[in-house]
Amino acid sequence: MNAAAVESPFTFAPTENMKMIAQSVRDFCEKKIRPHVMEWDEKQIFPKELFREMGHQGFMGVLVSHDYGGAGLGYHEYITVVSEIGKVCGAIGLSVAAHNSLCSGHINQFGNEKQRAKYLPKLATGEWIGAWGLTEPGTGSDAGNMKCTAKKEGSDWIINGTKTWITHGNSSDVLVIIARTGEPRTKNNSTAFIVERGVKGLSAGKKENKLGMRASETTEVILDNVRIPDENRMGEVGDGFAQAMQVLDGGRISIAALSIGIAKGAYEASLKYSQERQQFDQPISHFQGISFKLADMVAQISAAELLTHQAAELKDRHEKVTKQSAMAKYYASEVAVRVATDAVQIFGGYGYTKDFPVEKFYRDSKLCTIGEGTSEIQKLVIAREILRG
């Protein structure tokens, strides 16, 4: 056997701190989120004020150090926060994940001291909402061929283009935009910039009318001769794509955590319903067809959780996490879809109505197999990593 193919042993158990954090998030969600879940979903309301409240709880700057007003926690705790929110509302969990891991995460990881000091305190406390722009109408997975350009003009940069599928594209106060600064499909051809809301030429385009995750705002972002100073550039010219790929390594842990939350929410609802629903004078949980579905759910969720915390451990150690985060995201997102599908089946006709929670878990779960790299892209990443030997 190829020794390189053998993974090091990994064991994981929640710490007392993680248990306390989980309970804190649960209490907040029960009071502030659960009563409004269906209203926000039906009307596609992005409850911006809620995110300011979550900032006060430390949920918006989980990975940001105390020096910049953050909670100063690690990825294990971050997974706890995102998954607990996802158990109640996948859309709110998605927005928390995008804010933490993409916008704040990019500035935290690649911004200079001045940039971190300026932006992270407001992002970490929820005073500002963050967005991150990589995807374009014609370049999803093919991000190296982006059309959005940034051209140097004196000491400024002029950015032109359209970004799409941007979480918080309209409501964000600050955006990280990756724009092409070189020729298409050449190495080191893009650069990351910080763009503040209110700058001339920045606007939101179409708001997407989505199947699920409807309370998480998704819009186009249009940049029409947006002028920003060179001090808003992150890293060296040409580093943008490499930075984005490293940011996505962490982002995939976020989506894995969200997937676990959605799956747990669907499982817990199914378990409760199956023990209460009577058919043929007994709870339906007594029937093998139902109990086996529940067994599959809990086994798959446990496996996804271990994979995700394995990636978190590597991330906290500052070790390479590309393969592990892709595996966690791929497996956990597919598990979320399978568990949510079985949950609807357990609920039967009731599962197909909006009076019960599993139809929303079902709709929300699918995004996890698409956002921040489709399942197919995750397989490409995993294959590339293992074939390197």
Side-chain angles (χ1 to χ4, degrees):
M1 181 181 290
N2 182 359
V6 179
E7 299 290 347
S8 58
F10 174 76
T11 57
F12 171 76
T15 63
E16 287 302 314
N17 191 39
M18 290 170 62
K19 292 175 183 177
M20 289 173 58
I21 291 169
Q23 189 59 56
S24 173
V25 178
R26 283 188 209 114
D27 292 344
F28 181 89
C29 289
E30 289 302 319
K31 183 179 179 182
K32 298 290 187 176
I33 298 177
R34 193 179 295 280
H36 310 288
V37 165
M38 292 312 297
E39 178 192 1
W40 293 341
D41 181 76
E42 292 283 343
K43 297 179 181 179
Q44 293 202 88
I45 295 170
F46 176 65
K48 192 170 182 178
E49 190 55 42
L50 173 74
F51 291 86
R52 303 194 197 287
E53 293 185 56
M54 288 195 287
H56 298 154
Q57 299 294 318
F59 304 161
M60 301 296 279
V62 181
L63 301 166
V64 176
S65 77
H66 294 296
D67 294 339
Y68 303 115
L73 299 170
Y75 267 83
H76 292 297
E77 292 81 8
Y78 176 55
I79 290 167
T80 302
V81 171
V82 173
S83 63
E84 287 294 335
I85 296 172
K87 281 169 63 175
V88 177
C89 181
I92 302 303
L94 175 64
S95 280
V96 169
H99 175 92
N100 273 278
S101 68
L102 297 180
C103 181
S104 298
H106 199 138
I107 296 171
N108 196 32
Q109 193 169 353
F110 295 105
N112 58 37
E113 177 56 34
K114 183 178 179 181
Q115 291 165 342
R116 290 195 294 268
K118 180 178 181 180
Y119 294 106
L120 289 180
K122 292 183 178 181
L123 289 166
T125 57
E127 180 182 346
W128 279 7
I129 302 294
W132 191 75
L134 176 66
T135 304
E136 298 180 5
T139 56
S141 301
D142 185 18
N145 196 32
M146 67 180 70
K147 301 296 189 291
C148 180
T149 60
K151 296 184 178 179
K152 191 79 179 293
E153 189 176 284
S155 59
D156 294 337
W157 290 88
I158 311 299
I159 307 177
N160 281 286
T162 300
K163 297 293 182 179
T164 193
W165 302 111
I166 307 305
T167 305
H168 315 144
N170 180 56
S171 295
S172 55
D173 301 282
V174 61
L175 306 89
V176 172
I177 298 292
I178 294 90
R180 184 163 55 79
T181 49
E183 294 302 313
R185 298 195 183 284
T186 58
K187 190 176 182 181
N188 305 325
N189 74 341
S190 62
T191 306
F193 301 91
I194 301 171
V195 180
E196 293 184 36
R197 184 68 61 183
V199 66
K200 185 179 179 181
L202 176 68
S203 63
K206 175 188 175 186
K207 180 179 178 179
E208 303 297 342
N209 187 10
K210 299 175 294 182
L211 169 73
M213 303 292 193
R214 291 167 60 82
S216 179
E217 177 188 272
T218 306
T219 74
E220 290 181 327
V221 170
I222 300 167
L223 302 107
D224 181 13
N225 287 317
V226 169
R227 179 183 291 270
I228 59 169
D230 187 57
E231 67 185 33
N232 283 32
R233 168 176 51 84
M234 276 193 287
E236 299 299 321
V237 174
D239 284 353
F241 186 76
Q243 290 177 9
M245 293 305 100
Q246 290 184 58
V247 169
L248 284 173
D249 279 348
R252 285 164 181 161
I253 297 174
S254 297
I255 300 299
L258 178 60
S259 301
I260 291 164
I262 291 170
K264 282 185 174 182
Y267 162 71
E268 290 176 7
S270 299
L271 179 63
K272 183 175 184 290
Y273 179 81
S274 71
Q275 292 171 324
E276 295 173 348
R277 172 69 167 168
Q278 294 272 332
Q279 291 287 279
F280 304 101
D281 301 319
Q282 59 184 309
I284 63 172
S285 60
H286 289 187
F287 300 117
Q288 190 177 81
I290 301 298
S291 65
F292 277 18
K293 286 186 187 300
L294 294 169
D296 282 338
M297 287 177 175
V298 76
Q300 291 176 67
I301 291 169
S302 296
E305 208 161 17
L306 279 170
L307 267 177
T308 305
H309 280 287
Q310 182 186 48
E313 185 70 16
L314 291 175
K315 190 71 174 167
D316 281 345
R317 292 178 187 170
H318 305 290
E319 296 180 22
K320 185 177 180 181
V321 73
T322 302
K323 181 177 71 172
Q324 281 76 12
S325 64
M327 289 195 300
K329 195 270 188 189
Y330 164 57
Y331 185 73
S333 64
E334 295 290 341
V335 164
V337 172
R338 288 196 294 271
V339 169
T341 301
D342 280 349
V344 172
Q345 200 70 17
I346 288 171
F347 273 75
Y350 292 116
Y352 206 65
T353 72
K354 294 183 182 293
D355 295 327
F356 291 82
V358 292
E359 69 86 29
K360 184 176 183 297
F361 288 125
Y362 181 70
R363 289 185 289 110
D364 286 349
S365 67
K366 190 57 192 169
L367 184 277
C368 297
T369 69
I370 299 169
E372 298 196 31
T374 63
S375 291
E376 290 73 22
I377 287 295
Q378 305 313 313
K379 291 180 187 180
L380 286 173
V381 171
I382 296 162
R384 182 186 64 208
E385 291 298 313
I386 61 177
L387 292 171
R388 282 177 175 169

